[in-house]
């Protein structure tokens, strides 16, 4: 009995640093943000309770509405492109090739993910610069005039999505590599005997068996995309106009530029609820579309 008690005490001793860290740096900020959403506070004067005013003001704030719309557009196209590129490359890498070449591609595709989003965005800002960017220089060689990539409402969001996908598809790529590697080769051999080749093999065998991995990648991809900040902030500062301003950018600007921490907390709370609802819907739909072996 004493041995069991000492083992339990030892477990709690090892768990204590992690639990204290989670409590201080995760739970307390979340609770504080929830409470602050019902106050008006500029960090200088004492907090003033305003009830639901932060939420009612948000409902009539055009900047908040545009940011949610921009974020929704970004999520749809960025996540679709990220999953599509990752799946395509994973299937190609898993095809017959030397093992050293497969390792090379895995490392290469994952490498952008280890870089900081800010540094990547700064580099891409130079590449897409209208006056001296490498992209426009390359286009000029084939007679295409300079494109205002970052100063045009037509192209700014496209560039933000492209940069985000380029940096983040590596994570989904590795997930798909693992999912594809778990599919027994006997299933493909049986499909080949039945005449399944090319697209039919992918549609009838690969896609259903990799659907659990696709669910995980889509859930994590949407949660990450809903919180996008670095790429639009560094590349365009939310412009031109508000064409690339996202929800997290509005939260940041409300809190640290306008010192309206209550408004920022209210927007953050709405975003958190949106993330939870979207994730719940995904898992609900997964009951019909995800196939478990």
């Amino acid at each position: 009995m004493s041995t069991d008690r000492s083992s339990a005490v030892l477990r709690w001793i090892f768990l204590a640093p992690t639990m204290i860290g989670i409590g201080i740096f995760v739970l307390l900020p979340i609770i504080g943000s929830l409470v602050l959403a019902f106050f008006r506070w500029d960090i200088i004067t004492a907090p003033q309770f305003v009830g639901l005013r932060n939420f009612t003001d948000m409902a009539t704030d055009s900047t908040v509405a545009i940011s949610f719309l921009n974020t929704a557009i970004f999520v749809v196209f960025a996540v679709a492109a990220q999953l599509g590129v990752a799946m395509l490359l994973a299937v190609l890498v898993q095809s017959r090739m030397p093992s050293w070449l497969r390792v090379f591609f895995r490392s290469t595709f994952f490498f952008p993910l280890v870089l900081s989003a800010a540094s990547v965005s700064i580099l891409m800002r130079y590449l897409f610069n209208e006056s001296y960017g490498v992209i426009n220089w390359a286009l000029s060689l084939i007679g295409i005039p300079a494109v205002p990539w970052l100063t045009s409402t037509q192209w700014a969001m496209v560039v933000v999505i492209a940069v985000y996908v380029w940096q983040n598809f590596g994570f989904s790529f590795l997930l798909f590599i693992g999912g594809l590697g778990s599919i027994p080769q006997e299933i493909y051999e049986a499909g080949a005997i039945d005449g399944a080749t090319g697209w039919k093999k992918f549609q009838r065998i690969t896609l259903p068996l990799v659907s659990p991995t696709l669910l995980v990648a889509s859930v994590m991809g949407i949660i990450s995309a809903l919180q996008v900040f670095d790429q639009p902030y560094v590349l365009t500062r939310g412009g031109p106009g508000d064409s690339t301003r996202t929800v997290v950018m509005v939260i940041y600007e409300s809190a640290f530029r306008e010192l309206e921490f209550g408004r920022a907390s209210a927007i953050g709370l709405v975003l958190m609820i949106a993330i939870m609802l979207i994730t719940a819907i995904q898992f609900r739909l997964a009951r019909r579309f995800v196939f478990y072996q």
Side-chain angles (χ1 to χ4, degrees):
M1 184 66 181
S2 60
T3 303
D4 294 339
R5 183 175 299 175
S6 61
S7 298
V9 171
L10 188 62
R11 286 196 296 268
W12 281 109
I13 291 175
F14 281 113
L15 286 173
T18 301
M19 297 179 65
I20 293 173
I22 292 175
I24 295 175
F25 298 107
V26 178
L27 295 181
L28 284 180
I30 290 176
I31 296 172
S33 180
L34 293 177
V35 173
L36 198 57
F38 301 94
F39 287 80
R40 179 167 294 165
W41 187 43
D42 61 2
I43 209 173
I44 300 173
T45 59
Q48 178 185 358
F49 180 76
V50 294
L52 298 176
R53 186 175 302 174
N54 287 325
F55 297 95
T56 56
D57 291 345
M58 187 196 319
T60 58
D61 192 327
S62 60
T63 301
V64 175
I66 292 173
S67 69
F68 271 97
L69 177 61
N70 289 339
T71 302
I73 294 172
F74 176 86
V75 168
V76 170
F77 289 98
V79 174
Q82 177 180 332
L83 296 181
V85 170
M87 175 69 81
L88 174 62
L89 293 177
V91 171
L92 293 177
V93 169
Q94 284 297 97
S95 61
R96 293 183 179 180
M97 64 173 61
S99 58
W100 66 268
L101 190 59
R102 185 178 292 112
V103 172
F104 169 78
F105 282 125
R106 288 180 181 179
S107 302
T108 302
F109 294 148
F110 184 76
F111 177 73
L113 194 63
V114 305
L115 303 175
S116 72
S119 61
V120 169
S121 300
I122 291 173
L123 174 62
M124 292 297 181
R125 189 173 183 179
Y126 283 105
L127 293 180
F128 283 98
N129 186 275
E130 181 179 359
S131 301
Y132 51 80
V134 175
I135 304 297
N136 278 341
W137 172 79
L139 293 176
S140 67
L141 297 179
I142 55 177
I144 299 178
V147 178
W149 297 108
L150 301 176
T151 57
S152 168
T153 56
Q154 180 181 0
W155 291 106
M157 182 61 81
V158 175
V159 174
V160 171
I161 291 173
V163 172
Y164 179 89
V165 171
W166 180 83
Q167 184 173 14
N168 290 277
F169 81 89
F171 180 75
S172 299
F173 167 78
L174 286 186
L175 289 179
F176 289 136
I177 286 289
L180 292 171
S182 66
I183 301 176
Q185 289 299 317
E186 293 80 4
I187 299 179
Y188 286 113
E189 295 171 0
I193 294 175
D194 291 337
T197 57
W199 170 250
K200 284 293 184 182
K201 184 183 294 185
F202 176 81
Q203 182 183 14
R204 301 294 184 180
I205 300 175
T206 303
L207 196 57
L209 294 182
V210 84
S211 58
T213 306
L214 181 61
L215 172 64
V216 173
S218 63
V219 168
M220 299 186 71
I222 290 176
I223 291 175
S224 176
L226 282 168
Q227 302 175 76
V228 65
F229 172 80
D230 302 78
Q231 289 83 4
Y233 183 78
V234 175
L235 286 168
T236 64
R237 290 294 192 275
D242 289 325
S243 60
T244 59
R245 195 174 306 281
T246 63
V247 177
V248 178
M249 286 186 66
V250 175
I251 295 174
Y252 168 80
E253 292 166 354
S254 298
F256 300 105
R257 185 176 298 175
E258 302 169 9
L259 296 181
E260 296 184 6
F261 287 89
R263 176 175 184 263
S265 297
I267 299 173
L269 178 59
V270 173
L271 178 61
M272 182 184 72
I273 294 173
I275 291 174
M276 294 174 63
L277 288 175
I278 293 173
T279 303
I281 292 172
Q282 285 181 275
F283 279 104
R284 180 71 178 180
L285 294 175
R287 299 178 182 179
R288 299 178 56 186
F289 300 105
V290 176
F291 174 80
Y292 295 97
Q293 297 186 48

